[in-house]
Amino acid sequence: MKRHHFIRYYLVLAVITALLCVLGSPVLAKLPASPAAPTSLQQEGKVLYDNGRYAETVQVLQQEALQYRSQGDNLRLAATLSNLCLAYQQLGAWNDAKQAIAESLNILGYPQQQIRGQAHPKLKVLAQSLDILGRLQLVTGQPQEASVTWQDAQKVYSNIDDKNGVVRSRINQAEALRTQGFYRRAEKTLEDVSKILQSQPDSLEKTVGLRSLGDVLQVVGKLKDSQDALQQSLEIAQRLKSPAQIGASLFSLGNNATTQQQTQQAIEFYQKTVQVSPSPLTKVQAQLNQLTLLIENQQLAQAQTLIPLIQPQLDTLPLTRSAIYARINFAHSLGKLTLSGVEALGEQTLTPSFSTQLLTTAVQQARDLGDKQSEAYALGSLGGLYEKAGEWSEAQNLTQQALLLAQASHAPEIAYRWQWQLGRLLKAKGDIKKAIAAYDTAVDTLQSLRSDLAAVTQDVQFSFRDSVEPVYRQSVELLLKEQQTQPNNKNLEKARQQIEALQLAELDNFFRQACLLGQKVLLDKVVDRDNPTAAILYPIILEDELQVIVKIPKQPLQHYSTKISQAEVEKIVGELRQNLVQPYAIKAFKTQSQQVYNWLIKPIESQLQKSGVNTLVFIPDGVLRNIPLSALYDGKQYLVEKYAIALSIGLQLQNPKPLARGRLNALTAGLTQPPLGYSQFSPLPAIKTELNLIAQAGISTTSLLDQQFTKQAWMSKVNATRFNILHLATHGQFSSRADQTFILAANGPINVIDFDNILRTRDEKKPEGVQLLVLSACQTAAGDNRAALGLAGAAFKAGARSTVASLWQIDDESTAQFVGAFYTQLKNVNMTKAEALRLAQLQLLKHPNYSSPSFWSAYVLIGNWL
């Protein structure tokens, strides 16, 4: 399986990890028991090590090793050599560390001798030595090897019935999995460990295990569970009075707060980390994370004060991958400050040459460490500096070196960045064909990443739009520019495929797992073969223009464009969305709506009329997802008055068949009063009428209303009831973050991830899928420009063939009327779902009280429109 995790453009592993449990405060291996008291050298070495005086520790342990060697005491010699390895690691003396642990394990007969049948003292030393070897492998960029080593350590601890050792080994294995990007596997391992730890007294293993669990839960998007685990870890560390563990847990809590966009809390956690932690690396990482937050939030004066504190500490860090990443991170943070217009800082200036020096040092450190992956990061980042300076040839040379190293070290999460950078450089040099090829390779690499693992790193959630989305958009821009000079239908096909790939990547990012798709049929085949009265439109928002690719049945792809900046598109669409929900702003809304109509529909208007098309299927891009395209206005009519409208998440449909009208069975659930603690949501008394109208339309229903509609009761009905329509009439919110996308039940919210798990469990038990999901009275989060992503995600992950949902909450009574009309039309065997929606909307449009688009246009159909 390939390794997978998208990496933030400027900030790599330093943000995620306070270093691993075994790295945070590694302890010396205990020497086998002796009838005699511990030697003075043993005691002195332990005191020096515990106080961070590692160079002196090495001298003492070397003396101790000489003593045991002269005495022929091989077991204590092996333990001492392992401890010597650990001290060397703290100094970054990697060759010496490798020699010491190799000699120790050779004395112990590992891996030649069988573990079983050996004496207990020898096995104890072997297990501790394997712990130390795993740490060495992990910190020098060999997580797979570390994982195998810690599996061996676990076997040894099991044989000597050392339960704490077993737990520690499993925690370390989880951390190795996490370092490779296997977050779901790490989560499962740590949840098993957590169950064991909960019944145990406070211990180092317990605080570390809970912190590791919290870190992984954060990465996979379970932010509240993550926060709870990290808080427990902190409280245990405080009771143990362990500054190292307190600092590590505070650091992780800072990362959690950052993920939840609680900036001030995050900064406070990072500041406490610096005050408490004895680890120089953890201090620097906390300061770097704080620096990033300050820059992102334009608190530039505070950011400036941190810089003189960070630089000297970087130079004192032992040589590790994390230290190299910290240096790269610092260089890019300085670059961001320069872009923000910050002036010189005394003797230390924010100049490109200073960042170049930092990155040049990082390259050399990576070479000294023998870490090809770190070298690839550093070289590519250095190439990025030359790119900004307009020195294309040197930038290209460095980028190609970085790319070769990334590919040689099987690190696609690095390779895609330098493929993208190479594409930008080739474009700048005017070599468009080679630039397109480089972009194609970057997109292919990103596609390979999404299919292998079920998580993305914390960083992507904040920088997806900076480090992943532009790869797709810039690639499409090149393809369409090439199309203008050398028309080629393959370019159009590739462009829309890459926009679909972007949309699926956004969903992966939203859920922090790959959204695996079942058997699908291309939309083109659906319209050419099964539904020749539907046309497909793909609006694509680029930096300087809006492009539209159109598929009319039985015709080749066409495309047209409007010269308008992305910023202007977002401004107009944002204002349109605000005016749309204000009935008194109808004049301004119509003006803006007609502008969007002119972009998307007018150039193809006459062809649509001649082709006999009656349904338009949009695959909307960016902010266009936030508006109902049925409300586009041509100056006389709304689009819904001429066409049925549907939305699709991608170029393909699952099981594109019409609804089986002869046996419509609906599971309905409604909530007229929000639960305690959710007073921001208003009562919905007309929901009773809404559910009754569904039954009156001739749909067989099983219903849960008000206090019957608890999460548990709904889960039970989902699993026990036969239905092909799921109708939820309750408050809900769609957000650009999965943890803030939910529907309300009588006993609280059902998060979209739980929603997905419940329906997926049902689908595994029952062959019939949910053909239609209706989410009534829900809304997209106010002020969230990407909130429709939550709606698309909910529809997609529910596994429903089609979803009808509201972009905003509308009048209670008009909703009931709309729902009754929709289900009445749906019973007609000759009616598509898109046409049933259209007719229900037209019924409201013609109503004297509900003619404003703020009433009738709220509902959208996503997915199968047949």
Side-chain angles (χ1 to χ4, degrees):
M1 179 178 285
K2 297 174 185 175
R3 296 173 53 209
H4 164 121
H5 53 297
F6 297 133
I7 306 294
R8 183 174 189 159
Y9 186 61
Y10 288 139
L11 184 56
V12 196
L13 297 179
V15 165
I16 313 173
T17 315
L19 273 186
L20 316 179
C21 57
V22 73
L23 308 187
S25 55
V27 294
L28 294 172
K30 294 180 180 177
L31 271 63
S34 168
T39 66
S40 59
L41 286 175
Q42 285 178 28
Q43 292 174 327
E44 185 181 355
K46 186 176 186 312
V47 170
L48 289 169
Y49 183 88
D50 289 344
N51 283 280
R53 296 162 64 181
Y54 302 122
E56 294 167 82
T57 304
V58 164
Q59 294 176 358
V60 170
L61 290 176
Q62 286 173 335
Q63 293 179 49
E64 194 174 355
L66 283 173
Q67 186 180 89
Y68 290 132
R69 205 185 298 275
S70 66
Q71 295 171 356
D73 191 339
N74 284 340
L75 194 53
R76 289 185 177 79
L77 174 60
T80 303
L81 288 168
S82 295
N83 287 336
L84 191 55
C85 168
L86 199 55
Y88 280 135
Q89 289 181 49
Q90 299 287 23
L91 294 171
W94 303 116
N95 287 333
D96 291 335
K98 289 173 185 176
Q99 290 175 12
I101 197 65
E103 185 180 354
S104 172
L105 292 171
N106 185 53
I107 292 169
L108 295 168
Y110 176 84
Q112 296 84 5
Q113 294 184 15
Q114 293 294 316
I115 291 171
R116 292 187 180 278
Q118 294 191 41
H120 184 288
K122 185 174 182 180
L123 289 178
K124 183 75 172 179
V125 173
L126 175 58
Q128 293 174 337
S129 298
L130 290 173
D131 279 346
I132 291 168
L133 172 63
R135 178 192 191 278
L136 175 62
Q137 290 167 327
L138 192 65
V139 80
T140 54
Q142 303 173 72
Q144 288 175 295
E145 292 83 349
S147 185
V148 172
T149 297
W150 282 325
Q151 288 170 23
D152 284 352
Q154 181 183 338
K155 292 174 187 174
V156 179
Y157 281 124
S158 294
N159 282 339
I160 59 177
D161 197 29
D162 185 336
K163 292 184 174 58
N164 282 342
V166 169
V167 167
R168 190 162 56 248
S169 296
R170 294 191 69 187
I171 293 169
N172 291 342
Q173 288 169 53
E175 295 290 1
L177 287 169
R178 187 178 71 168
T179 301
Q180 296 172 80
F182 299 112
Y183 298 109
R184 298 289 174 184
R185 288 166 59 189
E187 179 188 2
K188 178 64 172 67
T189 299
L190 288 168
E191 283 177 343
D192 292 343
V193 169
S194 181
K195 290 173 185 174
I196 298 169
L197 290 173
Q198 290 299 343
S199 61
Q200 293 184 357
D202 291 350
S203 65
L204 176 67
E205 285 81 8
K206 189 168 185 176
T207 189
V208 164
L210 287 167
R211 183 171 67 251
S212 299
L213 176 61
D215 288 342
V216 170
L217 288 171
Q218 174 192 322
V219 169
V220 298
K222 298 180 179 178
L223 301 182
K224 184 61 173 66
D225 292 342
S226 164
Q227 186 178 349
D228 291 345
L230 294 174
Q231 189 61 40
Q232 282 188 63
S233 172
L234 175 62
E235 290 166 1
I236 294 169
Q238 289 169 335
R239 289 195 292 270
L240 292 173
K241 298 181 179 178
S242 168
Q245 300 305 326
I246 293 169
S249 294
L250 285 168
F251 181 81
S252 290
L253 281 164
N255 292 341
N256 180 281
T258 297
T259 307
Q260 296 194 59
Q261 299 177 13
Q262 298 168 346
T263 302
Q264 192 52 45
Q265 284 180 266
I267 288 173
E268 289 171 5
F269 277 126
Y270 291 140
Q271 289 172 337
K272 289 178 184 175
T273 301
V274 174
Q275 293 169 5
V276 171
S277 177
S279 164
L281 179 59
T282 303
K283 286 177 184 287
V284 170
Q285 287 174 325
Q287 289 172 324
L288 286 169
N289 290 1
Q290 183 182 345
L291 179 62
T292 298
L293 281 178
L294 291 171
I295 294 171
E296 287 177 352
N297 288 277
Q298 291 296 302
Q299 299 178 38
L300 303 181
Q302 296 94 312
Q304 279 185 279
T305 62
L306 272 179
I307 291 174
L309 303 177
I310 294 171
Q311 171 56 32
Q313 294 182 73
L314 283 174
D315 294 334
T316 65
L317 292 177
L319 181 56
T320 65
R321 175 181 286 185
S322 293
I324 294 168
Y325 287 152
R327 187 173 290 273
I328 297 169
N329 175 19
F330 186 51
H332 284 297
S333 291
L334 294 180
K336 287 184 188 180
L337 274 173
T338 304
L339 289 173
S340 301
V342 174
E343 299 298 327
L345 276 177
E347 295 180 3
Q348 181 168 326
T349 58
L350 303 178
T351 61
S353 61
F354 185 73
S355 295
T356 301
Q357 180 186 336
L358 282 168
L359 292 173
T360 303
T361 302
V363 171
Q364 188 55 54
Q365 288 179 331
R367 288 172 178 165
D368 293 343
L369 189 60
D371 187 343
K372 302 293 185 188
Q373 189 166 312
S374 296
E375 188 180 350
Y377 272 120
L379 277 169
S381 299
L382 190 56
L385 281 186
Y386 281 99
E387 178 191 9
K388 288 176 185 174
E391 299 182 34
W392 312 125
S393 296
E394 183 61 21
Q396 184 174 338
N397 177 41
L398 289 164
T399 302
Q400 287 171 328
Q401 288 183 55
L403 183 53
L404 286 172
L405 284 170
Q407 292 169 330
S409 56
H410 306 290
E413 71 280 4
I414 309 172
Y416 97 83
R417 295 174 55 197
W418 307 143
Q419 289 158 348
W420 172 31
Q421 187 161 290
L422 182 60
R424 297 196 305 269
L425 291 166
L426 290 166
K427 177 187 174 186
K429 294 172 77 173
D431 195 339
I432 301 302
K433 287 196 179 298
K434 286 185 180 178
I436 288 174
Y439 270 97
D440 285 351
T441 309
V443 169
D444 288 345
T445 303
L446 283 172
Q447 288 299 95
S448 74
L449 289 174
R450 79 167 291 265
S451 64
D452 288 327
L453 289 181
V456 293
T457 65
Q458 165 194 335
D459 294 323
V460 176
Q461 190 69 14
F462 288 101
S463 65
F464 183 90
R465 300 184 77 174
D466 298 328
S467 60
V468 176
E469 184 174 341
V471 182
Y472 292 96
R473 294 203 184 280
Q474 292 167 17
S475 173
V476 168
E477 185 176 7
L478 277 177
L479 288 167
L480 293 179
K481 282 187 177 175
E482 180 82 349
Q483 176 73 10
Q484 290 169 355
T485 57
Q486 300 181 30
N488 183 340
N489 241 36
K490 288 183 179 178
N491 284 339
L492 290 181
E493 180 59 39
K494 189 189 292 185
R496 65 177 191 161
Q497 285 176 353
Q498 292 190 358
I499 283 298
E500 177 191 40
L502 169 60
Q503 296 201 346
L504 292 178
E506 286 182 298
L507 286 178
D508 293 347
N509 181 237
F510 176 77
F511 281 104
R512 302 196 181 195
Q513 61 180 359
C515 298
L516 303 179
L517 307 179
Q519 295 299 312
K520 304 173 296 290
V521 178
L522 282 171
L523 294 183
D524 288 13
K525 289 185 178 178
V526 177
V527 300
D528 281 341
R529 182 189 64 199
D530 302 323
N531 189 217
T533 57
I536 310 166
L537 292 92
Y538 312 81
I540 302 169
I541 302 170
L542 300 175
E543 187 176 1
D544 297 314
E545 61 186 351
L546 177 67
Q547 294 269 1
V548 184
I549 301 176
V550 178
K551 168 64 182 175
I552 292 176
K554 301 185 175 163
Q555 293 185 26
L557 294 176
Q558 304 176 54
H559 98 289
Y560 45 89
S561 63
T562 302
K563 274 288 179 187
I564 185 170
S565 70
Q566 179 176 348
E568 187 65 14
V569 170
E570 291 177 349
K571 176 177 177 290
I572 291 170
V573 172
E575 291 174 355
L576 184 158
R577 175 66 172 78
Q578 288 179 342
N579 290 329
L580 176 55
V581 296
Q582 307 293 344
Y584 56 81
I586 189 70
K587 185 176 180 181
F589 160 73
K590 283 185 174 180
T591 300
Q592 291 152 344
S593 182
Q594 190 167 355
Q595 279 184 282
V596 180
Y597 180 94
N598 291 342
W599 301 338
L600 304 186
I601 306 297
K602 191 169 184 178
I604 203 81
E605 193 173 42
S606 60
Q607 288 191 55
L608 292 174
Q609 291 169 358
K610 291 175 186 176
S611 65
V613 163
N614 61 24
T615 301
L616 302 182
V617 180
F618 290 90
I619 303 177
D621 184 28
V623 291
L624 292 172
R625 298 182 194 133
N626 289 345
I627 59 171
L629 296 165
S630 59
L632 296 186
Y633 190 64
D634 69 359
K636 295 179 180 178
Q637 289 180 299
Y638 293 106
L639 198 59
V640 74
E641 295 181 81
K642 298 187 285 188
Y643 300 100
I645 311 295
L647 309 179
S648 179
I649 294 171
L651 296 171
Q652 305 177 67
L653 280 184
Q654 278 188 300
N655 192 21
K657 297 177 182 177
L659 200 58
R661 309 305 166 102
R663 46 186 181 84
L664 296 183
N665 300 301
L667 173 60
T668 66
L671 193 65
T672 61
Q673 292 288 338
L676 289 174
Y678 291 88
S679 58
Q680 70 269 35
F681 295 107
S682 59
L684 300 170
I687 277 178
K688 291 180 182 178
T689 305
E690 179 178 329
L691 300 187
N692 287 336
L693 286 170
I694 297 173
Q696 290 172 23
I699 311 293
S700 175
T701 61
T702 302
S703 187
L704 295 171
L705 184 62
D706 289 336
Q707 293 310 308
Q708 297 173 329
F709 178 26
T710 64
K711 179 178 177 180
Q712 294 71 23
W714 183 69
M715 286 175 59
S716 177
K717 288 291 185 186
V718 164
N719 289 316
T721 308
R722 290 181 65 89
F723 63 88
N724 47 19
I725 298 174
L726 178 59
H727 185 104
L728 299 173
T730 178
H731 284 292
Q733 179 171 283
F734 307 120
S735 166
S736 58
R737 291 175 51 181
D739 62 304
Q740 293 179 4
T741 296
F742 60 87
I743 59 170
L744 277 182
N747 57 344
I750 302 174
N751 180 268
V752 68
I753 296 174
D754 296 331
F755 187 79
D756 160 48
N757 291 336
I758 292 165
L759 292 179
R760 191 190 307 169
T761 302
R762 176 199 186 260
D763 287 347
E764 290 169 356
K765 295 177 181 177
K766 298 183 182 296
E768 69 273 15
V770 178
Q771 293 189 43
L772 176 62
L773 167 67
V774 180
L775 297 168
S776 173
C778 295
Q779 60 189 6
T780 50
D784 187 341
N785 288 333
R786 304 178 78 211
L789 188 63
L791 171 55
F796 190 82
K797 291 287 283 178
R801 303 293 180 261
S802 312
T803 298
V804 172
S806 56
L807 291 174
W808 59 89
Q809 186 188 336
I810 60 175
D811 176 87
D812 202 21
E813 290 293 338
S814 63
T815 296
Q817 286 198 30
F818 165 81
V819 167
F822 173 68
Y823 279 100
T824 300
Q825 298 292 346
L826 202 62
K827 285 288 289 183
N828 186 333
V829 294
N830 297 317
M831 186 82 62
T832 67
K833 284 168 276 191
E835 184 63 17
L837 175 66
R838 173 177 176 264
L839 292 176
Q841 288 178 315
L842 288 178
Q843 187 169 315
L844 281 189
L845 189 153
K846 293 171 183 175
H847 192 288
N849 296 332
Y850 306 130
S851 60
S852 167
S854 62
F855 291 104
W856 56 260
S857 72
Y859 282 92
V860 294
L861 171 65
I862 302 172
N864 182 352
W865 67 90
L866 299 176

